[in-house]
Amino acid sequence: MKTKTVTNFLKKVSFLAFALLCFNAVAQEEDTESTVEKLLSKVTVSGSVDGYYRYNIGAPNRGIDPTGEGDNNGAYQFLAPQTSFANKSGFALGMANVILGYEGEKAGFVADLVFGPRGEDAVFLSDGSAQVVNQLYAYWNVSEKVTLTVGNFNTFLGYEVISPTGNFNYSTSYMFSYGPFSHTGLKADFTLNEKWSAMLAVMNPTDYTENNPFDTYIVGAQVGYSADKGSAYLNFRYGNEGEPGEVGPTFQADLTTGWDVAEDFYLGINTTYLSTEPQEDGDASGFYGVALYPQYKTSEKFTLGLRGEYFSVYNGGLDAVIGLDDEGDGNVIAATLTGSYTVGDLTFKPELRVDSTSEDFFIDNDGELTKSLSSFVVGAIYKF
């Protein structure tokens, strides 16, 4: 009888221990799932893929071998406006863009990776870089009104951006193409009140995102105003952009603004001025320009927009961009009419572009120099 009682007692104890172990395992599994769910809730993944078709009207569409030897391993130059991206004739690739973000209570990070020709141009892969990093930075929300960011981030100047999802026009402007793309450094963003903001930054020379080979730095600043109908940002950068003793300091001022003029009509404006001082006696060189971006929404799926840009180079501020006279001066007027048709997350952007320079710069079908180039582009962008 005693043996039977002990056996029953042991069975009950064993069952209770087993039940406790199972409960503990289930609780641990639920805690693990809860931790993973919390972690994933703070992670975001987004990006895009794009490609295009480009055709010159009344000008050559074949690639030109710059060596003149007829065999250049496919490294052909194409006749196109000397602006960034969308410069190859025929069907061509844009880029694949993947953005991974993590947002904690007080801190987070962004890793923005790009692959393909547009991405390679954006990170200057052709200049010897091996990276695919468009942006890589961490941030700390010091308070509700102050955020510190350190790392590699896209520029705060200008109206247009590297990603095709952030631009209305598929091709890009001269001001965007010859302004900065990205910076590496430390910046502080300040929320002054509900409408006003400010930013201060210390950065490597422009577009030296992997390291600083010159031991020189530039400073950046921004004052912003944002309201329900639109926003305006006044931007500055100043500093030595190259080897000390060889390049004087560069100053750039840039205004970017955009407003909903009516329910279906939007107007954006970008104007910029850049000046680089000579290291020795002489005149400063640089460029300046202005662009208007009127857009009219005809339906939920289709919007028609125009970019009209005037861009001027003075005293040889840029080489082989638009054609310069003997004093190093030249200008271009570029008009780009773009339609944007959206089907879900896919957007088609057909556009007609005309570039007209002050000096003979382009080539027509007869091989003669001419002041204008007309081109047609259709971009396709999928955003996720």
Side-chain angles (χ1 to χ4, degrees), residues 237-277:
R237 69 178 170 115
Y238 178 82
N240 194 303
E241 297 283 12
E243 186 70 33
E246 295 184 6
V247 180
T250 293
F251 169 77
Q252 184 175 8
D254 178 277
L255 173 65
T256 301
T257 182
W259 298 89
D260 294 321
V261 179
E263 183 177 355
D264 297 322
F265 183 72
Y266 168 88
L267 178 62
I269 303 173
N270 183 207
T271 183
T272 197
Y273 172 82
L274 181 144
S275 176
T276 299
E277 295 294 328

Side-chain angles (χ1 to χ4, degrees), residues 342-364:
T342 303
V343 183
D345 293 322
L346 179 63
T347 301
F348 294 99
K349 290 185 178 288
E351 67 180 37
L352 179 64
R353 175 169 177 159
V354 179
D355 293 67
S356 180
T357 58
S358 58
E359 303 293 322
D360 289 336
F361 183 72
F362 300 110
I363 301 173
D364 62 20

Side-chain angles (χ1 to χ4, degrees), residues 1-12:
M1 184 69 181
K2 183 177 180 181
T3 301
K4 185 176 180 180
T5 302
V6 170
T7 300
N8 290 335
F9 175 75
L10 290 176
K11 286 182 179 180
K12 292 178 180 179

Side-chain angles (χ1 to χ4, degrees), residues 85-351:
F85 320 137
N87 288 331
K88 303 295 190 297
S89 295
F91 293 100
L93 300 178
M95 73 177 183
N97 183 203
V98 180
I99 305 172
L100 175 65
Y102 177 84
E103 183 176 2
E105 284 187 24
K106 300 288 288 184
F109 72 85
V110 170
D112 180 351
L113 308 180
V114 290
F115 308 88
R118 186 184 183 110
E120 292 175 2
D121 290 345
V123 300
F124 302 97
L125 186 59
S126 60
D127 290 347
S129 169
Q131 67 161 313
V132 294
V133 175
N134 180 35
Q135 299 185 95
L136 185 63
Y137 61 84
Y139 62 88
W140 171 30
N141 296 318
V142 181
S143 67
E144 291 183 356
K145 295 188 175 183
V146 180
T147 298
L148 295 179
T149 301
V150 61
N152 171 17
F153 41 86
N154 288 159
T155 187
F156 54 94
L157 293 100
Y159 185 90
E160 299 178 22
V161 296
I162 291 173
S163 171
T165 63
N167 297 330
F168 183 83
N169 307 97
Y170 188 75
S171 67
T172 56
S173 68
Y174 287 90
M175 286 187 291
F176 165 79
S177 301
Y178 298 101
F181 276 8
S182 299
H183 310 278
T184 292
L186 172 67
K187 68 172 182 173
D189 290 281
F190 305 94
T191 300
L192 305 180
N193 55 41
E194 292 183 356
K195 294 185 177 181
W196 288 92
S197 63
M199 186 277 295
L200 294 173
V202 179
M203 305 166 291
N204 288 348
T206 298
D207 295 325
Y208 284 91
T209 56
E210 295 182 57
N211 56 66
N212 185 344
F214 302 122
D215 194 28
T216 61
Y217 295 88
I218 64 172
V219 294
Q222 179 186 82
V223 177
Y225 176 84
S226 180
D228 293 338
K229 294 292 186 177
S231 60
Y233 296 93
L234 183 59
N235 309 298
F236 303 93
R237 69 178 170 115
Y238 178 82
N240 194 303
E241 297 283 12
E243 186 70 33
E246 295 184 6
V247 180
T250 293
F251 169 77
Q252 184 175 8
D254 178 277
L255 173 65
T256 301
T257 182
W259 298 89
D260 294 321
V261 179
E263 183 177 355
D264 297 322
F265 183 72
Y266 168 88
L267 178 62
I269 303 173
N270 183 207
T271 183
T272 197
Y273 172 82
L274 181 144
S275 176
T276 299
E277 295 294 328
Q279 196 63 38
E280 300 177 353
D281 295 336
D283 297 326
S285 62
F287 59 81
Y288 56 90
V290 60
L292 301 179
Y293 298 83
Q295 298 163 17
Y296 180 69
K297 186 175 182 179
T298 63
S299 68
E300 288 298 320
K301 294 185 177 181
F302 185 78
T303 302
L304 186 66
L306 175 69
R307 177 180 60 214
E309 180 184 18
Y310 173 82
F311 184 78
S312 182
V313 176
Y314 64 93
N315 202 25
L318 292 171
D319 296 328
V321 173
I322 56 176
L324 306 177
D325 61 20
D326 294 338
E327 296 180 354
D329 300 332
N331 60 72
V332 59
I333 297 175
T336 306
L337 181 65
T338 303
S340 180
Y341 182 75
T342 303
V343 183
D345 293 322
L346 179 63
T347 301
F348 294 99
K349 290 185 178 288
E351 67 180 37

Side-chain angles (χ1 to χ4, degrees), residues 59-74:
N61 284 283
R62 63 184 182 278
I64 301 171
D65 179 6
T67 67
E69 298 176 357
D71 183 9
N72 198 34
N73 296 322

Side-chain angles (χ1 to χ4, degrees), residues 37-103:
E37 288 177 356
K38 289 180 180 179
L39 178 65
L40 292 178
S41 68
K42 299 177 181 180
V43 175
T44 60
V45 179
S46 61
S48 65
V49 294
D50 70 288
Y52 64 94
Y53 173 82
R54 185 179 186 284
Y55 182 80
N56 291 326
I57 302 171
N61 284 283
R62 63 184 182 278
I64 301 171
D65 179 6
T67 67
E69 298 176 357
D71 183 9
N72 198 34
N73 296 322
Y76 293 103
Q77 294 179 352
F78 290 85
L79 181 63
Q82 296 303 295
T83 53
S84 299
F85 320 137
N87 288 331
K88 303 295 190 297
S89 295
F91 293 100
L93 300 178
M95 73 177 183
N97 183 203
V98 180
I99 305 172
L100 175 65
Y102 177 84
E103 183 176 2

